[in-house]
Amino acid sequence: MKKTEITDEDIDQISNNSLGHLYWEFQLGVGLKYENVSNDIRFHAPYPELGKKLWKAFRYELYIFLCDSKSKEPQEWLNDLISGDIRNLVVGICSIITTKYDVSLGIALPAAALVIKQGTLKYCYNKPKKSKKTVLQILGEMRRL
């Protein structure tokens, strides 16, 4: 069953310092693999590699939405979320991802967690390189498999 809401457990996991970058890349890979399959199908896949590939594309594309590239600061609307409750920040970033890419929280939540784990101010200060493939291209490839 696909996740339909952000729970307190999700927020606790994002806040948990022991769940770092590798954990969330793995979760992003799992989300990518299971995005377009029925609930009764199980896979064994290189989840960390899938997650890294998708995160590389997300890093650049999310930077465009979340950050002002001239000032290397978060967008004004994002500053309001940063200074508030972490739940609002998670929901805001997830909303952008689910709307722009038409994906479930299985992808949006780990991607949002990776931005937050890096630190939003640090994320905006270091503009990532553009990936060879876009998020939509990667999602399209997985739909065809």
Side-chain angles (χ1 to χ4, degrees):
M1 184 167 83
K2 292 204 189 235
K3 187 177 224 13
T4 58
E5 65 181 49
I6 298 169
T7 64
D8 289 340
E9 182 182 348
D10 296 326
I11 300 302
D12 290 344
Q13 286 181 326
I14 291 171
S15 299
N16 184 339
N17 289 331
S18 66
L19 298 178
H21 196 81
L22 294 175
Y23 172 82
W24 291 106
E25 280 184 350
F26 179 88
Q27 292 302 321
L28 189 58
V30 171
L32 177 60
K33 188 66 179 175
Y34 285 92
E35 179 69 12
N36 297 299
V37 297
S38 64
N39 291 338
D40 58 343
I41 294 179
R42 300 286 180 247
F43 292 103
H44 177 72
Y47 300 121
E49 290 82 10
L50 291 172
K52 283 179 187 179
K53 180 179 174 182
L54 186 55
W55 176 235
K56 186 175 180 181
F58 260 130
R59 269 192 317 230
Y60 178 79
E61 292 182 32
L62 287 176
Y63 181 89
I64 303 303
F65 290 110
L66 301 176
C67 307
D68 180 325
S69 60
K70 289 184 182 180
S71 69
K72 295 189 175 190
E73 299 280 329
Q75 295 286 355
E76 189 61 39
W77 64 267
L78 187 58
N79 277 327
D80 294 338
L81 295 176
I82 292 169
S83 62
D85 182 53
I86 188 171
R87 175 178 287 284
N88 294 335
L89 181 58
V90 172
V91 169
I93 295 172
C94 283
S95 295
I96 289 170
I97 295 168
T98 57
T99 301
K100 166 104 174 112
Y101 300 103
D102 191 27
V103 294
S104 71
L105 286 176
I107 289 178
L109 191 67
L114 284 162
V115 171
I116 293 166
K117 286 292 191 178
Q118 187 171 350
T120 314
L121 296 174
K122 184 179 175 186
Y123 181 79
C124 288
Y125 187 74
N126 298 310
K127 185 175 183 177
K129 294 180 182 178
K130 189 173 184 179
S131 176
K132 291 179 183 176
K133 292 186 179 180
T134 67
V135 171
L136 291 175
Q137 287 172 324
I138 295 168
L139 292 169
E141 288 173 357
M142 291 306 291
R143 286 182 183 123
R144 288 190 291 272
L145 293 178

